[in-house]
Amino acid sequence: MGITISSKRYSCDMGYGGFGRFRKVVAENINDEFYNHYSELSSQEAMFSFGIEREKYFEKYDAKTKEYIEKKILTVEVANFLYQSDSDGEVNRKQAKQIYELIKECDDNISFGYVGRTDCAKMADLKKIFSDKTKVEWR
């Protein structure tokens, strides 16, 4: 089971892992400091803490994210994309354009989809989707 990410004219399929890797590429293209922060979501503390400890962790994490937005390192629009649900979300045209600007220079052949399939989703497919001048959604 995975997701389909689509614009008005284009779509591609990938698993949740591939979508997560794509979002990490977007975060990495913001800058190294933010990428390191975003990567903390895969840490043991983020993934395996519970109750009060989890609340404390995410209060601190969210405060740092807000700092990046206030310092204009990260836009609200891109943050909205990075932190939405993996399984159901969308961004409007303005957000899609900002994401496209972050990925437009990336290697077209980076794979994010199901590698064994002939229609494996690649960066080139995602560039088409995010540059389609429409909203982008994933389900």
Side-chain angles (χ1 to χ4, degrees):
M1 180 166 207
I3 63 163
T4 299
I5 185 167
S6 59
S7 63
K8 186 174 182 176
R9 295 183 297 162
Y10 304 103
S11 70
C12 62
D13 298 324
M14 64 185 70
Y16 293 105
F19 190 51
R21 286 192 313 277
F22 174 65
R23 288 202 226 194
K24 279 193 167 186
V25 168
V26 172
E28 186 175 28
N29 286 330
I30 293 168
N31 74 21
D32 289 341
E33 183 182 352
F34 177 74
Y35 174 72
N36 291 334
H37 171 69
Y38 187 73
S39 294
E40 289 176 19
L41 291 175
S42 300
S43 72
Q44 287 186 351
E45 188 175 10
M47 300 203 44
F48 301 114
S49 62
F50 298 96
I52 298 286
E53 292 304 316
R54 184 173 183 81
E55 287 178 30
K56 287 180 185 177
Y57 176 84
F58 279 102
E59 282 177 16
K60 183 178 173 186
Y61 183 90
D62 292 346
K64 185 72 173 172
T65 302
K66 288 177 185 174
E67 276 184 43
Y68 287 115
I69 293 169
E70 289 167 4
K71 292 179 180 178
K72 302 200 184 304
I73 292 168
L74 172 68
T75 66
V76 170
E77 292 83 7
V78 173
N80 176 266
F81 169 71
L82 293 173
Y83 295 111
Q84 276 192 64
S85 169
D86 292 343
S87 60
D88 187 24
E90 69 179 46
V91 294
N92 63 30
R93 175 61 203 133
K94 180 180 178 182
Q95 293 165 300
K97 184 177 180 182
Q98 288 182 26
I99 294 160
Y100 175 74
E101 289 300 316
L102 290 166
I103 64 171
K104 69 182 180 182
E105 300 298 323
C106 291
D107 179 351
D108 284 347
N109 294 311
I110 301 170
S111 296
F112 298 103
Y114 302 106
V115 178
R117 289 176 40 174
T118 56
D119 64 345
C120 175
K122 297 192 181 290
M123 181 61 80
D125 300 309
L126 292 162
K127 287 179 183 180
K128 286 180 191 176
I129 291 167
F130 282 92
S131 65
D132 197 20
K133 298 182 181 175
T134 66
K135 73 176 181 177
V136 173
E137 59 186 17
W138 53 97
R139 309 277 181 254

